[in-house]
Amino acid sequence: MSWIDQLLQSPPGWSNFLTFMALGSMMLTITLGFVTYAILAERKIMGAMQLRHGPNQVGGRFGLLQTVADILKLLLKEDIRPAHADRALFIIAPILTYVPAFLVIAVLPFTEAFHFADIGIGLLYYIAISGLSTIGIVTAGWASNNKYALMGGMRAAAQMISYEIPLVMSVVGIILFTGSLNLIDIVNAQESLAFIFLQPIAFLIFFIAGTAELNRTPFDLPEAESELVAGYHVEYSGFRFAFFMLSEYVYLFAISALITILFLGGWHDPIPYLELDGPGLGAIWFSLKFIGVVFLFIWVRVSFPRLRADQLMEFGWKVLLPVALANIFVSAVIKEFFF
Amino acid sequence: MRGLLKGLAYTLKNMKQEKITYNYPEEPVPMPERFRGIQKFYPEKCIVCNQCVNVCPTDCISLTGKKHPDPDQKRKIIDTYDINFEICILCDLCTEVCPTEAIVMTNNFELASYSRDDLFKNLEWLDENETNVREEN
Amino acid sequence: MLRTEEMLLNVGPQHPSTHGVFRLVIKIDGEIIKEATPVIGYLHRGTEKLAEDLTYTQIIPYTDRMDYLAAMTNNYVLCHAVETMMGVELPDYAEYLRVLAMELGRIASHLVWFGTYLLDIGAVSPFLYAFRERERIINLLNELSGGRLTFNYMRVGGVKWDAPGGWFDRVQEFVPYMREQLAGYHDLVGGNEIFLSRVKGVGVYSQETALQYSLSGANLRCTGVDWDLRKHEPYSLYERFDFKVITGETGDAWDRFKCRMGEIEESLKIIEQTFDQMPAEGKTMAKVPRMIKAPPGEAYVRIESPRGEIGCYINSDGKKEPYRMKFRRPSFYNLQILPKLLEGENMANLITILGGVDIVLGEVDG
């Protein structure tokens, strides 16, 4: 029984409350710290690929405080709410988007020792909770009383529903091989071989569907700047806008961590023969793989144009879903005959 | 798929390329010799011929002359010379027609200001504007 | 049964993809456009009316501001019209300088189109790559004329400046560099499956439609009409150059893309040939009177601007100002087909089609 389970089962009291509080804030700090620097990294990498410097004014040569300044600015901005917006929904929408983004982090195991909720259906929990964010986006689009926002919200709903399915289907192969939905079990099953080698097609589908879930180029239709100005958050400003922005990057954190866990072997060393599974090394391996995945997401964003809404649907239902289903079948066959 | 990968390779290749942006407000952008910037005016050279006023497409130049203090001299000298940079389009025609090169271009282009009044430049200001004066006019 | 209704949506005048102050009132059913009405005039400055009070030399800076992405061709069309009326013969050297400047401007203009078009379609990077090359051209033209955007370089009877020392060498260096970058663009965009799926078969019109709507430039050539004024009605020195007229086949946005990218290549060829033919030095101005007065009468000249056929009509009563002046501004004419093309398309295609027309609002509104 791990220490977190002992904590959960211990009698309530002030010390327990404070421990939970401290753990929660620690996680929040790590995530927000990541978000701060992921935004900076994205801008820096985009800048480098586009022959620019990126932020280099606030916080020294590398613009280390740029995101902090941006968030501060958003905090200080006047909170504008359109006169004809649906007041209650308008206020609740950013929260609906933001809360699930943080809920999903609970189940992600980062290293052997550093993980929070070790629940049996971790993967299912992740997928179920992350789907909830769509409701927030649709609500935002509807409540803004803006035609562009409405179109953005509708696009988001259509897109996220149709990409949720291939996303789930692509991981079924992994579940077949592991025999468990627990993310820690999934990582442990990859001690000798990461699943990306066993399930390359699943990885590809998961990556594509994950990009669509994140609303990132080439699937950034809900906020397609050149078409819908800013999509579902066109009427949001100040900290309500920051909520959407933050949840987007928290999801980037979560999806990248999930890819690392599901396909890249989590905290296990990349080359199994080196036997480099030390106690502190797990965190390093995890972060290296994780940074690689985040870089991949940014790299794709820099390079590709956007798909069209109907092509996106067609691609999701007619290409990704059949391929994902075929992958499940092939995985079952491989599992039956070779393992 | 191949096209997408080629695109990825292209962006990655450019990551190592030299940056092409200017560090503008900190370092001035060098402008070539012929660049048309804010005018410089030499009152002593001006013969009050009014050609620059006539050629200006936007009518942004206004000038007045006065009698030469030396009564023997017949020609006039310049009294006031104003350029309204709200409407000046820096087209270079005034410096082109000036027979004595009394009005010439400089390479300065930073005209931004918080007040529209600051954009109205008079003779003294134009006389003192003597950095980066263009040689060929 | 769900109650549905059509939605009236204002795209612009403040919208990221209308390339300026252009407004499009569209009736949409979901994302499908039922009716589109372009509203123009937000950038109207009355160039033609202003010109009636200006001498011919004074009009030149105004033409810079019509098609501000290819100001050299605008300069040329005005000067060419006045020269035609006055019967001025230009020195070869001045004409070669003009051709060089115009072709460099054409490349710069197509680069801006390439960058902003990809930006419309959702890719950010090509915009910055295109502007890297454009910056080099702009710097070259800045050295030549003293302006980065509004060149005001040509005069009736010649050009204002001779090329500065070393300028020809820098242009010659630029040509192979641009070729190399062009190949890079094809890697980045030309073969990109997402891009192809966005532009292939979008905004198709036939040759007849294109001719009926009086389209010109790449918008006409993409349907396969072999019509380039540089080739078929040579002005300046274009009959001395060997270049191809790039035509498409299907008349969709992809063909328009190919035409424009091909034209960059052809312009580079023209620039190369210029250096082979050009005299080492010569006069930059023909003999023209100090006060330029077009003789009474009228004249219409047309040349090939990056956007299509730009024409200049002058009606003169012998004074130093024109009596009436009219510019045939290609963007304005090319825009007229938009309501027809947009019918039945969705929002994403709206941007693809609008971007593909390549409008410059300064020119549309005059």
Side-chain angles (χ1 to χ4, degrees), chain A residues 305-328:
Chain A
R306 184 186 308 122
L307 276 164
R308 206 167 61 207
D310 54 322
Q311 292 165 345
L312 181 97
M313 292 295 143
E314 235 168 70
F315 185 64
W317 291 102
K318 292 188 185 164
V319 179
L320 283 187
L321 190 59
V323 172
L325 289 172
N327 185 55
I328 296 175

Side-chain angles (χ1 to χ4, degrees), chain A residues 89-154:
Chain A
L89 288 181
F90 190 80
I91 291 168
I92 213 169
I95 302 166
L96 273 179
T97 317
Y98 189 66
V99 170
F102 271 94
L103 285 179
V104 295
I105 292 167
V107 290
L108 298 173
F110 298 102
T111 69
E112 216 153 6
F114 186 59
H115 54 79
F116 297 93
D118 178 13
I119 52 177
I121 48 156
L123 186 56
L124 197 62
Y125 169 88
Y126 180 98
I127 289 163
I129 298 290
S130 74
L132 286 179
S133 276
T134 318
I135 299 171
I137 291 177
V138 178
T139 314
W142 176 259
S144 299
N145 190 28
N146 179 305
K147 288 162 188 170
Y148 288 116
L150 180 66
M151 283 164 88
M154 292 300 151

